């Protein structure tokens, strides 16, 4: 006789989140770019517009057949590193200048929302999932060499510290990249710093969290972490903290998260995004979530590689 | 678009190819606490990854299983032939607490050949949790034998260190009082599971007691079961530990004055905390039950356990009678 | 229970006494582990006659390498099966386990970092979980080993474990002064321990002294002394007793006294009652002293608050 028995608390379960085919980031601006005024915002969106034409985005979504792709657009506002003007004036400015260039922003996100959102400590969550890229001869004997608050893509230059009595002192050696092709491009990324016991996360680290959110890869206790909140008022509050982490600005927008992301950024963000990719390569996504998303994409006739980095594309704007 | 909860079975994304070998080590020990801990405390102690759930079950026995941790490795693999084999990938580690009393820490990885002959970007390996890819061809028998015979101190893949570190993390938890009711050894079970094709015989089991703490188990299994073997090995290690610990406690009890009725009182903690934990093949996928049965036939785990358990109960009953009569005589002579 | 053996000077017979205490405790029925933390010269293997580990182990899995994170697990050698001495081989009836955790051959002193303190805490926790008595023999003086152990034993996780210190010294003026300095002096155990988070009074209460190579003036061997010699020795002994009291090494803090035995002066080894040859040569008082001291190690009355 067939019989079955299950205990819900004993099972592995993860939520399934709504997914678009492509999440398009129309830009990421520092506080000073925004405070430079409407004209400079307008100029910025004019530079973005040719790269975000609908036909181009449809092609990038890589949907097979005649299916109409689900594409959503987003914009990240930096309210974390600097005091920004009031959302009551900035958000309308952003939306209007974008619209003037034929661009539509579906979702507006706050950078502080990548630190904590809806009571979920997102940045800590991601930090807790880092698995450092192992240097040669990492047998598992020792925990991966780590400097608190730093993450790199290889082996740091050895520091001559005190050693066992009467043992030879090591000579200088360069830092090396793991898996290099003969020569190294070594990168050491500061994830956070701390003053008076208060931790400030770095821009690349939060940008990595941002990519993971857009890819729908984060879960907390198996649940979805950030759900965009619809904003159907015409006005915005005076303080950024009074806004949700992610605002949904157009009611009929395709889902915020997507199988793939495409970010249109100013050229000066190249080093930040190099760091983001290095961080993402070392984030352990829950295997169940990875599997679930690959399965769903297969179901939609897409071939999605399991590597996160293969799902991310960029365009760095010329000056 | 719907948002909801789905439960998906593990190990579907990277269906391993034939010619793989899973390597693992399980450590088992008594939780360093004065009493069995409640489920909620086990959950707190095993909360090793922020935001990931501890899996809890109450039946047929209380069992709490931590989320899985990943560690990166890039090193030589031990081969019995001495062949130089390098591999890169990730090892999975996890811990569990059974009956609020017994801790297990395990580390494991599936080893298989890579398609590339050079190290790939780290993101490649991160997308294949628990896989180690070797550069160059491998002989699974050679790797399995090399791993089983690997000395403590070697420069090859060290699953032993990973499981030990996990054990130390749990046992060093600040939530524990570090005042256990008895002293016991920690045991280690080193295991391998080689994949076989449909035609080859599978399930072949070699279990060995190498010394007073090390045991080895070698299996052959079909490829779709390789992910479930770890739970089987953990369950086997748990029962082997229970048996070894009971034998050790009995030996210690008989060391002093073997026939003194008080001596049996030293077995009290064992009776209270261990005797009810015997639950072979709990939480094991049914397709692997034949492996347990084969081991039972050869090593007779349950037979020996029952015999020891009965002996302890008899002794306790006897000495209770003796103690009673001592007390009665004492009061009569007053 | 963890017993930490130390001394200010070398040549106190600390290691040989510690080995004998471990041996006696095992004979008395306890499971005992002996940890060789004498990093500069790990020679417990020689005293216990364990072949291949006389000057530390060559397996690469000794305590030096374990503490420096070069091996996952320190080697454990079962003395009853590994000892080369006939009289030691095979566990006697009623005896507990006797395990040596050796140092590494060719190992030296090394700097102590926070990771090493963590390794040491883990080691003590896992040893304590398995053995009733964990005897740790430290290098002489203000060593890295003592520093490491003071830090480790201050850790929260080890607070449920009974930790006791034995400070060995010879019964001479210099040794008494040195031992007192090691415990009570500047940068001494108590000062350094308090800095590392120990409670001063508790730490002080967990330290006892062991006098070694003590001449027993009432023994028959002394009967042959000329009266002036005997008188001189008596007066020296009184002076030493006064000095010991003044430097807090008096009777109340003394756990035991090991008589001078020629056998131990020439050859550091276990004094075994089963060993026909040596039980004839060694003084019966010596093995009695070990036997008594081994009992007092775990006898709570001997460790009551002073």
């Amino acid at each position: 006789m067939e019989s079955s028995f299950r205990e819900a608390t004993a099972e592995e379960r993860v939520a399934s989140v709504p997914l678009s085919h492509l999440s398009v980031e129309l830009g990421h601006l520092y506080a000073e770019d925004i405070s430079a005024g409407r004209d400079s915002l307008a100029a910025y969106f004019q530079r973005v517009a040719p790269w975000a034409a609908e036909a181009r985005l449809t092609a990038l979504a890589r949907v097979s057949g005649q299916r109409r792709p689900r594409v959503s657009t987003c914009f990240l506002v930096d309210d974390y590193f600097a005091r920004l003007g009031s959302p009551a004036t900035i958000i309308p400015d952003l939306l209007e200048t974008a619209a003037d260039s034929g661009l539509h922003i579906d979702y507006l996100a706050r950078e502080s929302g990548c630190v904590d959102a809806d009571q979920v400590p997102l940045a800590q969550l991601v930090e807790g999932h880092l698995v450092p890229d192992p240097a040669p001869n990492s047998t598992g004997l020792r925990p991966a060499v780590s400097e608190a608050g730093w993450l790199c893509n290889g082996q740091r230059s050895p520091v001559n510290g005190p050693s066992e009595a009467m043992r030879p002192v090591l000579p200088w050696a360069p830092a090396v990249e793991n898996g290099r092709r003969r020569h190294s491009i070594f990168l050491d990324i500061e994830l956070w710093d701390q003053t008076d016991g208060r931790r400030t996360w770095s821009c690349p680290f939060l940008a990595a969290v941002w990519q993971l959110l857009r890819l729908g890869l984060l879960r907390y206790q198996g649940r979805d972490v950030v759900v965009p909140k619809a904003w159907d008022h015409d006005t915005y509050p005076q303080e950024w903290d009074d806004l949700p982490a992610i605002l949904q600005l157009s009611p009929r927008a395709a889902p915020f998260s997507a199988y793939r992301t495409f970010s249109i950024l100013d050229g000066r963000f190249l080093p930040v995004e190099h760091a983001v990719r290095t961080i993402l390569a070392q984030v352990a996504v829950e295997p169940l979530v990875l599997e679930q998303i690959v399965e769903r994409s297969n179901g939609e006739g897409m071939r999605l590689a399991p590597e996160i980095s293969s799902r991310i594309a960029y365009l760095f704007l010329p000056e | 678009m719907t948002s909801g909860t789905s439960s998906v079975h593990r190990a579907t994304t990277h269906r391993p190819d034939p010619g793989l070998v899973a390597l693992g080590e399980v450590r088992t020990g008594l939780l360093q606490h004065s009493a069995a801990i409640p489920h909620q405390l086990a959950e707190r102690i095993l909360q090793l990854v922020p935001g990931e759930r501890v899996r809890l079950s109450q039946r047929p026995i209380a069992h709490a299983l931590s989320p899985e941790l990943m560690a990166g490795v890039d090193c030589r693999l031990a081969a019995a032939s001495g062949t130089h084999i390098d591999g890169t990938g990730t090892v999975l580690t996890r811990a569990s607490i059974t009956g609020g009393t017994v801790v297990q820490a395990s580390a494991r990885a599936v080893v298989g050949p890579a398609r590339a002959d050079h190290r790939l970007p780290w993101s490649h390996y991160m997308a294949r949790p628990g896989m180690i890819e070797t550069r160059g061809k491998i002989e699974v028998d050679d790797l399995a034998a090399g791993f089983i015979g690997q000395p403590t101190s070697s420069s090859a893949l060290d699953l032993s260190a990973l499981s030990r570190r996990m054990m130390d993390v749990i046992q060093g938890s600040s939530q524990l009082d570090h005042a256990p009711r008895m002293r016991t050894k920690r045991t280690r079970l080193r295991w391998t599971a080689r994949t076989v094709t449909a035609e080859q015989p599978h399930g072949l089991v070699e279990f060995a007691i190498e010394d007073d703490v090390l045991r080895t188990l070698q299996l052959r299994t079909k490829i779709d079961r390789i992910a479930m073997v770890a739970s089987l090995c953990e369950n086997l290690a748990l029962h082997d530990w229970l048996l070894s610990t009971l034998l050790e406690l009995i030996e210690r009890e008989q060391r002093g004055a073997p026939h003194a009725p008080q001596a049996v009182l030293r077995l009290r903690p064992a009776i209270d905390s261990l005797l009810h934990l015997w639950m072979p093949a709990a939480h094991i996928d049914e397709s692997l039950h034949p492996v347990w049965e084969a081991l039972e036939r050869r090593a007779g785990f349950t037979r020996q356990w029952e015999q020891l358990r009965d002996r302890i109960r008899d002794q306790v009953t006897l000495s209770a009678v003796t103690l009673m009569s001592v007390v009665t005589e004492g009061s009569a002579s007053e | 229970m963890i017993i930490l053996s130390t001394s200010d000077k070398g040549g106190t017979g600390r290691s040989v006494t510690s080995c004998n205490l471990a041996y006696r405790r095992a004979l008395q029925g306890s499971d005992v582990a002996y940890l060789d933390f004498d990093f500069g010269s790990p020679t417990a293997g020689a005293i216990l006659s364990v072949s291949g580990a006389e000057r530390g182990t060559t397996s690469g899995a000794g305590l030096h390498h374990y503490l420096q994170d070069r091996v996952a697990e320190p080697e454990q050698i079962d003395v009853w099966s590994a000892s080369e001495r006939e009289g030691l081989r095979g566990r006697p009836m009623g005896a507990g386990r006797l395990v040596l955790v050796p140092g590494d051959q060719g190992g030296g002193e090394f700097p102590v970092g926070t990771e090493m303190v963590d390794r040491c805490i883990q080691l003590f926790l896992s040893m304590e979980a398995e053995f009733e008595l964990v005897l740790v023999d430290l290098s002489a003086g203000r060593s890295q080993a003592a520093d490491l152990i003071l830090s480790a034993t201050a850790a929260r996780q080890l607070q449920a474990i009974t930790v006791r210190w034995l400070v060995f010294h010879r019964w001479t003026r210099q040794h008494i002064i040195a031992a007192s300095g090691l415990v009570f002096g500047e940068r001494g155990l108590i000062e350094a321990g308090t800095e590392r988070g120990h409670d001063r009074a508790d730490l002080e209460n967990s330290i006892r002294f062991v006098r070694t190579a003590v001449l027993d003036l009432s023994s028959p061997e002394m009967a042959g002394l000329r009266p002036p010699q005997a008188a001189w020795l008596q007066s020296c002994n009184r002076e030493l007793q006064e000095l010991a009291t003044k430097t807090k090494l008096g009777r109340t803090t003394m756990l035991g006294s090991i008589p001078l035995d020629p056998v131990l002066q020439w050859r550091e080894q276990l004094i075994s009652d089963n060993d026909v040859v040596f039980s004839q040569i060694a003084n019966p008082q010596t093995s009695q002293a070990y036997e008594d001291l081994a009992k007092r190690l775990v006898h709570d009355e001997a460790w009551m608050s002073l």
Side-chain angles (χ1 to χ4, degrees), chain C:
Chain C
M1 180 184 298
I2 299 175
I3 302 278
L4 306 158
S5 288
T6 187
S7 59
D8 185 66
K9 288 170 159 292
T12 56
R14 181 197 71 245
S15 297
V16 71
T17 310
S18 302
C19 283
N20 272 290
L21 291 178
Y23 171 66
R24 293 281 156 178
R25 271 317 302 165
L27 288 183
Q28 289 162 10
S30 295
D31 285 340
V32 181
Y34 184 100
L35 274 53
D36 197 347
F37 267 57
D38 188 353
F39 297 133
S41 125
T43 52
I47 301 172
L48 299 169
S49 308
V50 174
S51 66
E54 289 88 349
R55 292 183 307 283
T57 179
T58 51
S59 71
L63 283 170
H64 288 84
H65 289 164
Y66 168 78
L67 289 168
Q68 293 176 86
D69 224 346
R70 283 153 71 175
V71 62
E73 195 117 34
E75 186 179 353
Q76 292 192 8
I77 301 173
D78 175 34
V79 174
W80 299 130
S81 57
S83 185
E84 284 197 308
R85 259 176 72 190
E86 201 63 50
L88 294 182
R89 208 170 317 120
R91 193 203 291 195
M93 280 287 285
R97 297 167 67 204
L98 178 58
V99 163
L100 166 66
V101 184
D104 284 289
Q105 194 168 108
E109 288 264 337
F110 41 75
V112 173
T114 50
E115 279 151 37
M116 192 172 287
V117 174
D118 289 340
R119 303 277 290 166
C120 189
I121 295 169
Q122 308 293 6
L123 176 71
F124 285 175
L125 275 178
S126 63
M127 284 291 161
E128 170 72 17
E130 192 175 335
F131 295 92
E132 291 162 277
L133 181 72
V134 179
L135 210 153
V136 187
D137 184 38
L138 274 62
S139 317
R142 289 163 172 80
S143 60
Q144 301 276 17
D147 188 353
L148 174 63
I149 284 187
L150 280 171
S151 303
T153 51
R156 179 185 38 72
Q157 299 101 305
L158 296 186
Q159 294 319 300
I161 298 174
T162 306
V163 178
R164 293 171 174 172
W165 290 80
L166 291 183
V167 179
F168 292 83
H169 64 88
R170 293 180 77 117
W171 190 234
T172 72
R173 205 178 158 74
Q174 273 76 13
H175 274 266
I176 291 169
I177 292 168
S180 173
L182 174 68
V183 175
F184 305 105
E186 210 179 315
R187 295 200 306 115
L189 291 180
I190 290 175
E191 188 183 298
T194 312
E195 267 171 29
R196 283 158 183 76
H198 286 275
D199 177 85
R200 176 180 286 270
D202 288 348
L203 183 59
E204 200 167 334
N205 266 325
S206 71
I207 300 174
R208 293 290 184 277
F209 294 89
V210 177
R211 301 173 185 175
T212 57
V214 179
L215 275 177
D216 181 0
L217 300 180
S218 60
S219 72
E221 289 88 14
M222 294 293 146
L225 291 177
R226 280 175 280 124
Q229 285 178 319
W232 184 79
L233 284 173
Q234 291 289 2
S235 102
C236 277
N237 198 35
R238 268 195 306 278
E239 275 172 37
L240 290 176
Q241 268 156 0
E242 278 162 28
L243 177 67
T245 310
K246 215 166 65 195
T247 53
K248 303 206 235 178
L249 267 63
R251 292 243 155 234
T252 47
T253 57
M254 183 193 81
L255 194 71
S257 167
I258 309 293
L260 179 76
D261 193 311
V263 168
L264 295 175
Q265 296 303 305
W266 285 344
R267 197 154 138 195
E268 297 185 308
Q269 63 163 39
L270 293 186
I271 303 286
S272 155
D273 300 336
N274 300 343
D275 199 316
V276 184
V277 183
F278 284 103
S279 59
Q280 298 295 316
I281 301 171
N283 292 324
Q285 291 91 334
T286 310
S287 66
Q288 192 56 50
Y290 287 146
E291 189 75 14
D292 294 345
L293 186 52
K295 284 186 180 142
R296 274 202 296 279
L297 275 185
V298 294
H299 197 255
D300 289 338
E301 240 164 63
W303 295 86
M304 298 266 261
S305 295
L306 301 172

Side-chain angles (χ1 to χ4, degrees), chain B residues 97-165:
Chain B
I97 297 174
T98 303
T101 303
V102 186
V103 194
Q104 293 194 286
S106 74
R108 66 185 196 277
V110 177
V111 182
R115 290 194 186 89
D117 61 353
H118 57 271
R119 190 197 202 263
L120 295 167
W122 185 234
S123 52
H124 170 87
Y125 304 103
M126 287 293 283
R128 290 155 184 83
M131 269 297 292
I132 295 175
E133 296 185 349
T134 60
R135 291 183 275 288
K137 274 197 295 215
I138 53 162
E139 281 289 337
V140 290
D141 291 349
D142 192 23
L143 277 180
F147 177 70
I148 290 291
Q150 192 174 341
T152 321
S153 173
S154 84
S155 52
L157 175 69
D158 200 341
L159 297 186
S160 192
L162 284 155
S163 62
R164 157 119 198 178
R165 204 151 57 234

Side-chain angles (χ1 to χ4, degrees), chain A residues 239-309:
Chain A
E239 295 298 329
W240 291 96
D241 292 346
D242 295 334
L243 286 170
I246 303 174
L247 280 76
Q248 180 172 352
L249 297 168
S250 37
R252 280 193 301 276
F256 167 74
S257 300
Y259 292 122
R260 291 195 170 87
T261 68
F262 173 51
S263 301
I264 302 173
L265 300 169
D266 207 288
R268 66 196 156 136
F269 283 99
L270 180 60
V272 174
E273 295 302 322
H274 177 26
V276 168
R277 290 178 70 91
T278 307
I279 295 168
L280 288 178
Q282 305 183 53
V283 173
V285 173
E286 280 189 61
L288 224 50
V289 177
L290 271 185
E291 282 164 25
Q292 186 193 61
I293 289 183
V294 169
E295 270 174 27
R296 281 176 58 186
S297 72
N298 289 343
E300 294 202 54
M302 287 175 83
R303 254 191 55 81
L304 203 58
E307 289 88 347
I308 309 174
S309 54

Side-chain angles (χ1 to χ4, degrees), chain B residues 278-296:
Chain B
W278 193 262
M279 207 70 72
H283 308 120
I284 299 296
D285 192 273
E286 234 160 271
S287 65
L288 289 168
H289 282 194
V291 178
W292 241 115
E293 286 151 21
L295 272 166
E296 280 283 22

